[in-house]
Amino acid sequence: MVREWNSNQLIDGFISRQVVQRGLDERTAKAYRLDLEHLHEWLSLDFPVQKDKWEGKIEAYLEYLSSEKKRLPSTLYRKQKVFNYYLSYLSAQGIIGKTRPLKSHYIKKASQKEALLTKKEIDAFFQAINREYINLDSDFRKRVCMRDQVMMGLLFYHGIEISELLRLQVKDYDRKTAILTIKKKNGKDYPVYLFSKTLQGQMIRWLDDHEYFEWGAGYDEWMFLSKLGKPLSMKMITNIFDKYRKLAGIKKEVTPKDLKSSMKRYAEELMMEWCG
C-alpha cells in the first residue's frame, strides 16, 4: 500500500537505484533530489496519492510550473524526464500500477525555440572563452583553455556530434590540408575541412601542446585529454560548455538536446556566411 511509504523513503530509494547504482555523479543526485522534493511539496496535501492518480497529479504540477511560474521549456523538459524515471521506479517497486509516459502539452512548441541559443549568444560564448584565455596567467591553464577553444569550435562551427568529438585521435587531423577525419558510429569516416583560420591555428597550438597532457596511461593517441591524461567524457564536455556559458552571462538552461540543436543551427549559419 502507498500509505506505508513516505516521500523521503520514496526519494531515497529512487536516488539509490537511479543514481548511485548507475554510477552517476553527485551533482545529478542533488538535482534529482531537489526536483522530487519540490514535486512532493506540491503533492503534500493529497499524499499518499492513489495508485492511478500519479500521472495526472504530476502533469498538473508541470502545467503549474509552465503557466504560473513561467519556467523555461528546457527546465520543464528536464523535470519531465526525471519524473518519468521516477514513475518507472515506483511501478517497478509495486508502489503504483503500470505507468504511462507523461503528456507534454504544457511545453508549447512555439516556445521551444526559446531554449536554443541564438547566434548572438553563441558569439558571446566564444568571446568569453577568448577573454578567459587572455587573462590566464598559468601556461598549463592556458593549454587547457586552448583545448576547450578547439573542442567548442569543432562542435559549434562544424556541428560535430559530441560522441564523434570524443572518438577523435591525434592522427585524424592533417595539418597540411586542415582536414579532420570524423569517425561515425557505423564505422564510416567523413572529412571535415576547418574553414576557420583561427580554428586551424588553435588546433595546431593544441596538438603542439598535447604532450603536456600525456601521462603514459595508454591514452596518448586520443586527441582530447583531461588534465590527468585520460579521455574526456560526455559529462565533462557539457560541464565545460556550462562553465563558459555562465562566463558569457547566458542564463538559459540548455538540455543536451537543445545544445545539439544549437550547435547544428550555428554551424549551418556560419557555413552560409562562409560560402556566401
Side-chain angles (χ1 to χ4, degrees), residues 80-126:
Q80 181 195 35
K81 190 173 182 180
V82 174
F83 297 156
N84 273 321
Y85 289 152
Y86 189 48
L87 287 172
S88 296
Y89 166 75
L90 296 179
S91 179
Q93 299 302 307
I95 297 168
I96 63 176
K98 185 177 180 181
T99 186
R100 60 169 174 79
L102 296 169
K103 297 176 182 178
S104 56
H105 59 276
Y106 45 82
I107 303 180
K108 298 178 181 179
K109 291 184 178 180
S111 63
Q112 284 182 314
K113 294 181 180 179
E114 298 173 3
L116 299 182
L117 296 173
T118 64
K119 186 176 185 301
K120 183 177 180 180
E121 287 172 325
I122 297 174
D123 288 342
F125 171 81
F126 279 105

Side-chain angles (χ1 to χ4, degrees), residues 17 47 69 78 108 132 185 191 201 210 230-231 248 265:
R17 176 67 62 87
F47 201 78
K69 293 296 185 178
R78 176 180 59 77
K108 298 178 181 179
E132 174 86 348
K185 289 181 180 179
H210 194 274
K230 296 182 179 180
R265 186 170 70 175

Side-chain angles (χ1 to χ4, degrees), residues 90-259:
L90 296 179
S91 179
Q93 299 302 307
I95 297 168
I96 63 176
K98 185 177 180 181
T99 186
R100 60 169 174 79
L102 296 169
K103 297 176 182 178
S104 56
H105 59 276
Y106 45 82
I107 303 180
K108 298 178 181 179
K109 291 184 178 180
S111 63
Q112 284 182 314
K113 294 181 180 179
E114 298 173 3
L116 299 182
L117 296 173
T118 64
K119 186 176 185 301
K120 183 177 180 180
E121 287 172 325
I122 297 174
D123 288 342
F125 171 81
F126 279 105
Q127 289 167 9
I129 302 179
N130 291 336
R131 286 195 302 271
E132 174 86 348
Y133 181 81
I134 292 171
N135 293 328
L136 289 172
D137 56 5
S138 160
D139 288 341
F140 187 75
R141 291 178 66 192
K142 276 183 175 289
R143 294 184 185 110
V144 173
C145 188
M146 180 59 62
R147 177 203 66 186
D148 297 346
Q149 285 181 313
V150 174
M151 291 193 301
M152 294 300 129
L154 293 176
L155 292 171
F156 279 98
Y157 292 3
H158 296 280
I160 295 171
E161 302 277 350
I162 295 179
S163 58
E164 294 172 343
L165 181 85
L166 296 176
R167 286 195 292 271
L168 287 174
Q169 296 186 344
V170 173
K171 66 181 181 181
D172 293 329
Y173 184 66
D174 188 321
R175 296 179 182 226
K176 293 181 179 179
T177 62
I179 290 178
L180 184 66
T181 301
I182 307 297
K183 297 180 177 65
K184 297 184 72 67
K185 289 181 180 179
N186 59 13
K188 295 182 179 180
D189 299 347
Y190 69 93
V192 168
Y193 171 68
L194 304 194
F195 59 83
S196 166
K197 296 298 182 182
T198 298
L199 182 56
Q200 289 180 26
Q202 290 171 340
M203 175 68 89
I204 295 298
R205 288 197 294 277
W206 162 245
L207 292 177
D208 286 344
D209 287 341
H210 194 274
E211 61 182 304
Y212 292 97
F213 294 79
E214 298 172 5
W215 294 85
Y219 304 110
D220 294 355
E221 72 275 15
W222 294 98
M223 181 171 288
F224 298 112
L225 298 172
S226 72
K227 298 174 184 178
L228 300 178
K230 296 182 179 180
L232 297 172
S233 66
M234 184 83 68
K235 185 66 177 176
M236 290 176 181
I237 299 295
T238 55
N239 285 344
I240 290 169
F241 165 77
D242 275 336
K243 170 188 173 180
Y244 295 113
R245 174 183 65 82
K246 293 174 182 176
L247 286 177
I250 301 171
K251 299 186 181 301
K252 287 181 180 176
E253 295 184 48
V254 184
T255 67
K257 183 178 180 181
D258 295 330
L259 181 57

